[in-house]
């Protein structure tokens, strides 16, 4: 089969997903939401084969689980798969997903920051409490992450756990994902009395969306099957590059906005617009 034949056989993922006003309101109030059937089962399965195969090829983790640190135990992480495969590119740059991101945030257009596969191995550890946006050199609160399982996940594995309304606090702490972040932010969450929400089991093609400042964590994987998840991070078109406040942000600036400087409009060939409201 040629590459063209394979691409011709993949679903386009451009048809719109009808959001309700209640879903939009809930996202803006809580900083997260879960949407059923963002991709149909046959659509997910068509892309899962390519994505999971690419993750296996790209994974250079050789240490057994018990020898890794907390971050290493949390998941196999492969970033920007869309740059490695024309098939994955069609998934990551899908207009349907970008439109949902734009409508939830209430913006006219969105760009991709980057994608990342997050595969939690059998027996894999928990993902500590954190805020995604501490890593991102962007001067905006209009950022959002799609988190979509490519296989059904049971309640035992579950979705991520979100601290509702925590996004309203903006930056809480620059601490990176670690045992320290888990302990410090858990104490902060308890002190503020945020409501914790875990959406439980999810079907392949369901998706959660959460804001860049929304506190979240994820349980470990007590099952004997891989938790295969694909994520895509979006930001509002027109966002400016921020002055990096940490080495992590400097690294991200070089990796995802190469050649750009603080104050410039964020966007390179790595950050295509995937949806613009007509």
């Amino acid at each position: 089969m040629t590459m063209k034949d394979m691409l011709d056989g993949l679903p386009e993922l451009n048809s719109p997903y009808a959001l309700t006003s209640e879903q939009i309101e809930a996202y803006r109030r809580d900083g997260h939401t879960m949407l059923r059937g963002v991709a149909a089962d046959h659509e997910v399965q068509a892309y899962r084969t390519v994505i999971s195969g690419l993750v296996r090829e790209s994974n250079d983790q050789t240490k057994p689980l018990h020898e890794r640190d907390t971050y290493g135990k949390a998941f196999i992480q492969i970033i920007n798969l869309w740059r490695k495969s024309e098939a994955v590119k069609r998934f990551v740059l899908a207009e349907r997903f970008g439109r949902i991101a734009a409508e939830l945030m209430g913006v006219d257009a969105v760009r991709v920051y980057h994608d990342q596969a997050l595969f939690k191995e059998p027996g894999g550890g928990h993902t500590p409490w954190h805020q995604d946006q501490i890593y991102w050199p962007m001067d905006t609160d209009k950022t959002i992450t799609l988190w979509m399982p490519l296989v059904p996940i049971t309640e035992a594995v579950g979705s991520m756990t979100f601290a509702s309304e925590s996004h309203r606090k903006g930056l809480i702490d620059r601490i990176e994902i670690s045992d320290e972040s888990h302990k410090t932010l858990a104490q902060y969450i308890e002190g503020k009395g945020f409501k914790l929400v875990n959406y439980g089991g999810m079907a392949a093609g369901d998706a959660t969306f959460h804001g860049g400042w929304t506190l979240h964590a994820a349980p470990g994987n007590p099952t004997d099957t891989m938790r295969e998840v694909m994520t895509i991070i979006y930001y509002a078109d027109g966002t400016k590059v921020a002055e990096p406040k940490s080495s992590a942000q400097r690294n991200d600036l070089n990796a995802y906005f190469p050649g750009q400087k603080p104050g410039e409009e964020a966007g390179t060939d790595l950050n295509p617009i995937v949806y613009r409201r007509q």
Side-chain angles (χ1 to χ4, degrees), residues 3 6 48-62 76-78 81 84-85 88 117 119 226:
M3 175 61 71
M6 184 179 76
R48 181 208 167 203
T49 301
V50 181
I51 293 170
S52 60
L54 198 53
V55 169
R56 285 194 299 272
E57 291 173 13
S58 304
N59 179 30
D60 58 4
Q61 177 61 263
T62 57
I76 297 168
Q77 179 183 35
I78 310 294
L81 270 69
K84 305 173 187 287
S85 161
V88 181
F119 281 33
M226 183 80 79

Side-chain angles (χ1 to χ4, degrees), residues 4-50:
K4 183 180 183 302
D5 290 336
M6 184 179 76
L7 291 174
D8 287 346
L10 290 172
E12 288 286 349
L13 300 174
N14 289 333
S15 58
Y17 179 95
L19 284 171
T20 67
S21 57
E22 290 79 12
Q23 288 168 329
I24 294 171
E25 180 184 351
Y27 170 79
R28 295 179 188 176
R29 180 190 66 235
D30 298 333
H32 59 86
T33 192
M34 199 270 284
L35 305 176
R36 298 288 185 189
V38 170
D41 186 67
H42 75 276
E43 293 174 327
V44 178
Q45 295 313 314
Y47 287 97
R48 181 208 167 203
T49 301
V50 181

Side-chain angles (χ1 to χ4, degrees), residues 114-213:
H114 65 74
D115 70 54
Q116 52 186 357
L118 298 175
F119 281 33
K120 195 177 289 283
E121 297 156 278
H126 73 120
T127 306
W129 284 108
H130 65 283
Q131 291 179 296
D132 293 336
Q133 199 157 329
I134 64 165
Y135 294 95
W136 306 340
M138 288 187 274
D139 187 16
T140 184
D141 61 355
K142 299 298 185 183
T143 61
I144 193 170
T145 297
L146 170 154
W147 188 95
M148 179 181 288
L150 305 177
V151 295
I153 55 176
T154 65
E155 190 170 351
V157 178
S159 76
M160 291 180 289
T161 300
F162 301 99
S164 292
E165 301 188 43
S166 57
H167 65 301
R168 298 177 184 274
K169 300 295 184 181
L171 173 66
I172 294 168
D173 198 308
R174 294 195 188 281
I175 187 170
E176 297 178 25
I177 301 175
S178 59
D179 292 331
E180 185 183 355
S181 79
H182 195 67
K183 179 180 177 181
T184 299
L185 294 174
Q187 291 172 343
Y188 177 84
I189 289 165
E190 184 177 1
K192 294 295 183 182
F194 291 126
K195 178 183 178 182
L196 300 184
V197 175
N198 184 298
Y199 293 105
M202 296 172 65
D206 292 346
T208 61
F209 288 79
H210 67 274
W213 291 125

